Amino acid sequence: MKTLSITNQNGIATVAINNPPVNVLTINLINEINEYVLSLKDDRDTKVVVFKSLHETFFLAHLDLNVINGTQLVVACSCRVLSFFQ
């Protein structure tokens, strides 16, 4: 994964988000988060997931404006994530 760094210790997964310069929420970042969340479906060892930012000022700055105005291809992964929780 390019924007996420994941560690798992004693059942606690820490997902560090690093999407410089200000952790903009891009399609790639959304897809990486979806991929990680979906990977938890069969993971019985992870009990807690903590998301944190490697940027000292921002957790996530905003959604990429290219996503909002439709100039970037949007991958509909949210349906798969929703089905994971059902």
Side-chain angles (χ1 to χ4, degrees):
M1 295 192 171
K2 293 181 180 180
T3 58
L4 300 180
S5 152
I6 302 164
T7 59
N8 199 323
Q9 185 175 8
N10 299 324
I12 301 171
T14 302
V15 180
I17 302 168
N18 187 26
N19 196 19
V22 291
N23 278 352
V24 172
L25 191 56
T26 61
I27 291 298
N28 290 337
L29 178 54
I30 292 168
N31 287 338
E32 284 190 29
I33 293 170
N34 281 335
E35 180 182 337
Y36 175 67
V37 169
L38 291 171
S39 76
L40 295 171
K41 183 175 183 176
D42 297 320
D43 181 350
R44 300 295 174 229
D45 296 325
T46 301
K47 306 299 181 200
V48 175
V49 178
V50 177
F51 287 89
K52 71 177 192 174
S53 173
L54 292 183
H55 192 284
E56 54 188 58
T57 308
F58 295 100
F59 178 70
L60 293 172
H62 55 78
L63 184 62
D64 183 352
L65 294 177
N66 289 321
V67 174
I68 294 170
N69 70 22
T71 58
Q72 223 180 31
L73 176 64
V74 177
V75 179
C77 290
S78 58
C79 293
R80 288 184 282 167
V81 171
L82 289 175
S83 67
F84 169 78
F85 291 105
Q86 294 177 347

